Amino acid sequence: MSGHRIAQIAGATGLTGGHLLELLLADARYSRVHALVRKPALSAHARLQEHTFDFDHPVKPPCADDVFCCLGTTIKKAGSQAAFRKVDFDYVVALARMARDAGAKRFLVVSSLGADARSAIFYNRVKGEMESALRDIGFDALHIFQPSLLLGDRQEARLAERLGIAASAFIAPFMLGPVRKYRPIEAKTVAKAMWKTAWNGERGIHVHPSDEIATLGA
C-alpha cells in the first residue's frame, strides 16, 4: 500500500541521484516521486513523474514533502569557475527556495567534505556558501551531507581519474582515527543515508560528515 508522502529529486541521472531514485521508487511510503530532469530519460514507474526543468528559466516545481538535491558538477566538466558556481550554488539555492515556497518540509542536499564559506579553495568555498544560503531558507529540517571522494561507476571518468579513485580505495582501510572521515565512500552509501535520514523525524539543521554518512548508509 502506498503512503502519503511525496518526494522530489533533482540530479536523478547523476552518480548519487541514480541510486537514490531507485531507493525512493522502492519505498511504498512515498505515493509519488517527482524527478526534475533536463529531458525525459528515466525508466517508467507507476509512482514516478518526470518534469522537464530548466534551471536557467525555472518554473514552480511540483509540491513535495521531501526534496532531495543531488545536483553537482566539477570545474573541469563545467568549463569554468563561473559555470561551476551556477550549478553548485545558484541552481541548488534556487531549487531550495522554490521548494520551500511550494511547501516542502525537508531538504536533503549533497555537499562536500571540506565545505567552508571562508576557504581559500574555490570549490570548498562555493560549497560552503551554498550551505550557508540554505540555512537561511527555513525548512523544518535541513540535512547537509558532506561526503569525501565518491566511488561508483562514472561513465565519463577518464583514465587518470579512475586510477586516482582506485588508489584512494586501496589506501582507505589504512585511514584510521582523525583521517577516517577522508576515506572515499560509495555513492550508493550516500544515497541510502539520505533516504533513511528523511524518515528520522528530526527537525532543525544537521550536517553529516563522510564518516557519519558511512554509518547511516550501512
Side-chain angles (χ1 to χ4, degrees), residues 18 23-24 30 32 46 48 82 84 93 99 108 127-129 135 150 153 158 168 189 209 211:
L23 291 168
L24 297 176
Y30 285 112
R32 176 72 60 184
L48 174 63
F84 168 81
V93 175
L108 302 94
K127 291 292 190 180
E129 290 172 351
R135 289 170 179 269
L150 288 172
D153 185 14
R158 298 181 180 182
S168 296
T189 301
D211 51 348

Side-chain angles (χ1 to χ4, degrees), residues 154-167:
R154 287 182 174 87
Q155 294 182 348
E156 76 279 6
R158 298 181 180 182
L159 178 60
E161 184 177 358
R162 291 184 185 277
L163 291 174
I165 291 173

Side-chain angles (χ1 to χ4, degrees), residues 157-184:
R158 298 181 180 182
L159 178 60
E161 184 177 358
R162 291 184 185 277
L163 291 174
I165 291 173
S168 296
F170 176 77
I171 66 173
F174 306 102
M175 300 174 72
L176 304 172
V179 298
R180 183 182 179 87
K181 65 181 179 180
Y182 296 106
R183 284 184 175 185

Side-chain angles (χ1 to χ4, degrees), residues 18-85:
H19 291 294
L20 180 55
L21 179 63
E22 292 179 0
L23 291 168
L24 297 176
L25 292 176
D27 190 342
R29 293 174 294 180
Y30 285 112
S31 62
R32 176 72 60 184
V33 177
H34 296 290
L36 307 184
V37 296
R38 285 180 293 180
K39 58 183 179 180
L42 305 174
S43 59
H45 190 285
R47 289 185 287 110
L48 174 63
Q49 186 171 349
E50 293 183 76
H51 302 266
T52 303
F53 198 85
D54 182 355
F55 279 94
D56 290 319
H57 303 90
V59 296
K60 183 179 179 180
C63 296
D65 301 291
D66 305 339
V67 176
F68 300 86
C69 181
C70 300
L71 295 173
T73 186
T74 63
I75 297 175
K76 178 183 287 188
K77 187 174 181 180
S80 68
Q81 289 187 341
F84 168 81
R85 183 180 176 84

